[in-house]
Amino acid sequence: MTFPYVYHASYSELALPDNHRFPINKYRDLYELGLKRGILEQTRCVTPDAIDINELKQVHCPDYVDSFINGTLTQKAMRRIGFPWSEQLVRRSLHAVNGTKLCVELALEHNVAVNLTGGYHHAHYDFGSGFCIFNDLVIAAHHAIKHYQLDKVLIIDCDVHQGDGTATLCQSVPEIITCSIHCAKNFPARKQISDHDIELENGCNDSEYLAILSQSLPLLIAMHQPQLIIYDAGVDIHQDDDLGYAAISTQGLMQRDQLIMQLAQSQQIPVAAVIGGGYSRNRQQLAERHYQLLSAINTTCCE
């Protein structure tokens, strides 16, 4: 039996300049690779609608939300986000954020689910940053707490960059526990305070990285006893990533994802996973790195 996943064509429908560093095609590439290899089944695909604007305003500044939707953010604000404004950008943002919310619902029903985008952890209360406009992780966590009466949601963020927006949005929300495992010397330059920040040295390799995870994550789960894990499975820790300074192999990515899935399964904690960051001009190699998450879920949770 395969696992449910969330995907919308708009995830990769965004016209960007030829030299833009964001690999917008990777969502479609991963979707097609998963279907080709049979790890994704079309019948298990759930397509999100656009999220209700009022739900965004429960987490983000209403003026910021309206300004982005209406295209009236300043050029400086858009430069900080890293994308030129367009109606396409609005459309994909609204579907992507709702995708993670829907992913949480599916995970709570089926024990595991994946949104084939997501991980917009640099989005703060009243501004976007680093290709992130609205913080889907926090919005989805709030949704789970409110509609499923959960006491604790744990966000495990394994992107190479600190989840600074997630940290600031959750500092006064005791029901959401934030854990960011990231390179200390990487974007953002000014780090924020998560509930748990685990900083890696540049060049951190597979054995070092997996040892840190295997030592820290069981303690976190025992300490907080979450009823849901939202997992940002960024692959920009890969040794060949364009924006990462870690040295994790493709096999290391698989082992990381298996470790987290096995740990959650052993504790009977549902996992809603998003694919997070990953940057490469080579589309095939990048899709292969993100594919490790799908493969890990398939071997850990579906056999």
Side-chain angles (χ1 to χ4, degrees), residues 46-232:
V46 180
T47 305
D49 296 323
I51 195 166
D52 188 307
I53 303 303
N54 291 321
E55 291 190 69
L56 298 176
K57 293 178 180 179
Q58 293 172 15
V59 170
H60 289 283
C61 172
D63 288 343
Y64 167 65
V65 173
D66 288 337
S67 294
F68 173 73
I69 299 297
N70 298 328
T72 56
L73 282 180
T74 65
Q75 288 187 355
K76 181 179 179 181
M78 290 307 302
R79 282 196 301 271
R80 189 168 193 174
I81 289 171
F83 292 126
W85 187 89
S86 67
E87 291 184 1
Q88 271 187 330
L89 180 62
V90 173
R91 181 171 182 263
R92 80 166 299 277
S93 299
L94 298 182
H95 284 93
V97 173
N98 210 35
T100 301
K101 179 186 138 187
L102 188 54
C103 180
V104 159
E105 295 178 357
L106 291 168
L108 289 167
E109 181 179 353
H110 300 282
N111 199 47
V112 65
V114 182
N115 185 20
L116 299 187
T117 186
Y120 303 119
H121 59 173
H122 299 309
H124 293 252
Y125 174 68
D126 56 359
F127 66 92
S129 177
F131 308 132
C132 302
I133 298 160
F134 301 123
N135 197 308
D136 61 311
L137 305 172
V138 178
I139 291 167
H142 276 283
H143 176 72
I145 291 164
K146 180 178 180 180
H147 293 279
Y148 293 87
Q149 291 76 52
L150 302 189
D151 297 320
K152 282 287 189 297
V153 174
L154 172 61
I155 297 176
I156 299 177
D157 188 341
C158 288
D159 193 283
V160 80
H161 308 104
Q162 193 212 27
D164 57 331
T166 304
T168 60
L169 284 168
C170 297
Q171 281 173 352
S172 61
V173 186
E175 297 87 356
I176 303 176
I177 307 302
T178 57
C179 174
S180 180
I181 306 163
H182 55 269
C183 273
K185 297 177 181 177
N186 204 327
F187 180 88
R190 182 181 177 184
K191 304 296 190 287
Q192 302 297 327
I193 301 174
S194 310
D195 291 304
H196 302 277
D197 284 300
I198 301 171
E199 295 192 325
L200 311 172
E201 296 297 323
N202 288 3
C204 179
N205 62 29
D206 287 5
S207 59
E208 294 166 338
Y209 185 77
L210 294 169
I212 290 169
L213 288 189
S214 61
Q215 291 165 12
S216 57
L217 292 185
L219 292 175
L220 281 182
I221 288 174
M223 183 187 308
H224 298 290
Q225 299 187 332
Q227 295 148 300
L228 170 69
I229 291 172
I230 299 178
Y231 172 40
D232 184 345

Side-chain angles (χ1 to χ4, degrees), residues 238 240 250 280 282-291:
H238 193 273
D240 295 324
T250 302
S280 175
N282 188 312
R283 290 173 56 176
Q284 182 178 353
Q285 290 180 2
L286 184 56
E288 193 67 46
R289 293 170 202 168
H290 283 299
Y291 180 82

